[in-house]
Amino acid sequence: MTKKTNNKEYWVGVDLGGTKMLVILLDRSFRPCGRKRKKTKAQSGMDAGLARMVDSIREVLDEAGVVPEQLRGIGVGCPGPLDLDSGIVLEMPNLGWKNTPVRKSLEDALGCPAIVMNDVDAGVYGEYRFGAARDVRSVIGVFPGTGIGGGCVYEGSVLRGKNGSCMEIGHIPVDPQGALCGCGQRGCLEAMASRLAISAAAATAAYRGEAPNLLAAAGTDLSNIRSGVLAASVEAGDKVVDRILRDAARLIGWTCAGVVNLLAPDCLVLGGGLVEALPDLFREEVDRSVRSRVMPAYRDAFSVVVAKLGDDATAIGAAAWAEHAQR
Ligand SMILES: [Zn+2]
């Protein structure tokens, strides 16, 4: 397939994770027209990692018959910490990256403007532009996974800090005596209610013989107890696992109540693998617990919805933010 090379009318979004990257080519209406998923080779270091990202983008372009001259911009979403203005990834330990000039590398290699942003912010922006929270005045995204990511789009802009991203909902303190968190503090929301925390509690229940279906399907090894396994265990009748999940969802909702009181958003969007595996459970429990805990004036002023873009949200959102940056 060949296309005319007269107009710049494509965007590229990249979801750069610690173990894999997803590249999506989008047309001028942000409809996906090509994609590639690759493992990020952690051991190969910074230069090889950057080259691999550029090569992946070129491959997606080639396969769609698009040349780099047709690209209007590239957006990259990746886990922080970042220097947003310079597009430098300050640290990505899984890739062995430190002070990595992602924006400059892409701009030099492909000859179009690029932006780098937090992956959760990109996902929330994607849902705001094209997904479950389209065109609302303000939306807060909560994505429970290994941690609990948060982001906010407020009157069309992604809320951010001076140099980096903000809305670290997963690190809001919820229990002074709570479990240790990866950030070094104690009792953060994600130490209590992330998939990792849920899986740990479920593994304990399986070990005690309280979750027979989970034990049969996945044993007690934490790394086997992923979102789909938890959902199957609930489906098969493991009541304790159902309770562990609902308790976690309620704690997430309770914490979100504080965020709603601060920002009065129109919409809370819930996403990530755990929510995708158990959308009704999470939406119902979070909805109920937020509403029961917010100030009366906000009780009926927002919706709680489940994300629609799935794994594509970060790449599409990053590309759309690259477009927003050029307005
Ligand atoms: Zn923390």
Side-chain angles (χ1 to χ4, degrees), residues 213-214 217-218 226-238 241 245 277-278:
N213 297 297
L214 178 65
R226 303 194 66 81
S227 302
V229 171
L230 288 166
S233 155
V234 170
E235 181 77 13
D238 286 336
V241 177
L245 282 156
L278 296 144

Side-chain angles (χ1 to χ4, degrees), residues 170-171 181-185 188 190:
H171 299 284
C181 181
C183 74
Q185 299 286 353
C188 295
E190 75 174 41

Side-chain angles (χ1 to χ4, degrees), residues 141-153:
V142 184
F143 291 72
T146 312
I148 297 180
C152 177
V153 177

Side-chain angles (χ1 to χ4, degrees), residues 71-245:
L71 280 186
R72 286 194 53 191
I74 301 169
V76 179
C78 62
L82 309 168
D83 184 319
L84 291 169
D85 294 333
S86 58
I88 289 173
V89 176
L90 298 176
E91 200 163 3
M92 256 180 99
N94 287 351
L95 300 187
W97 283 15
K98 237 179 155 67
N99 299 323
T100 304
V102 172
R103 182 174 117 193
K104 185 170 188 316
S105 302
L106 291 175
E107 288 181 343
D108 289 352
L110 294 154
C112 68
I115 60 100
V116 178
M117 72 192 300
N118 173 269
D119 56 348
V120 180
D121 287 343
V124 179
Y125 191 67
E127 295 292 340
Y128 163 76
R129 287 286 298 273
F130 311 109
R134 200 177 283 206
D135 298 332
V136 297
R137 187 189 60 90
S138 65
V139 52
I140 289 164
V142 184
F143 291 72
T146 312
I148 297 180
C152 177
V153 177
Y154 198 92
E155 295 183 344
S157 286
V158 174
L159 276 198
R160 52 167 280 187
K162 185 164 185 286
N163 301 313
S165 61
C166 63
M167 297 300 290
E168 293 285 0
I169 288 170
H171 299 284
I172 291 179
V174 295
D175 182 354
Q177 267 80 49
L180 284 173
C181 181
C183 74
Q185 299 286 353
R186 188 177 279 286
C188 295
L189 177 64
E190 75 174 41
M192 317 290 289
S194 64
R195 185 183 52 74
L196 207 54
I198 290 166
S199 295
T204 304
Y207 183 80
R208 286 192 189 128
E210 295 166 355
N213 297 297
L214 178 65
L215 187 65
T220 58
D221 183 346
L222 209 57
S223 57
N224 292 333
I225 305 179
R226 303 194 66 81
S227 302
V229 171
L230 288 166
S233 155
V234 170
E235 181 77 13
D238 286 336
K239 291 213 161 44
V240 176
V241 177
D242 183 71
R243 187 171 159 202
I244 290 166
L245 282 156

Side-chain angles (χ1 to χ4, degrees), residues 1 22 24 42 54 79 83 126 137-138 191 233 253 294 302-303 320 322 326:
M1 183 169 74
L22 170 66
I24 301 183
V54 170
D83 184 319
R137 187 189 60 90
S138 65
S233 155
V294 291
F302 61 93
S303 59
Q326 292 180 27

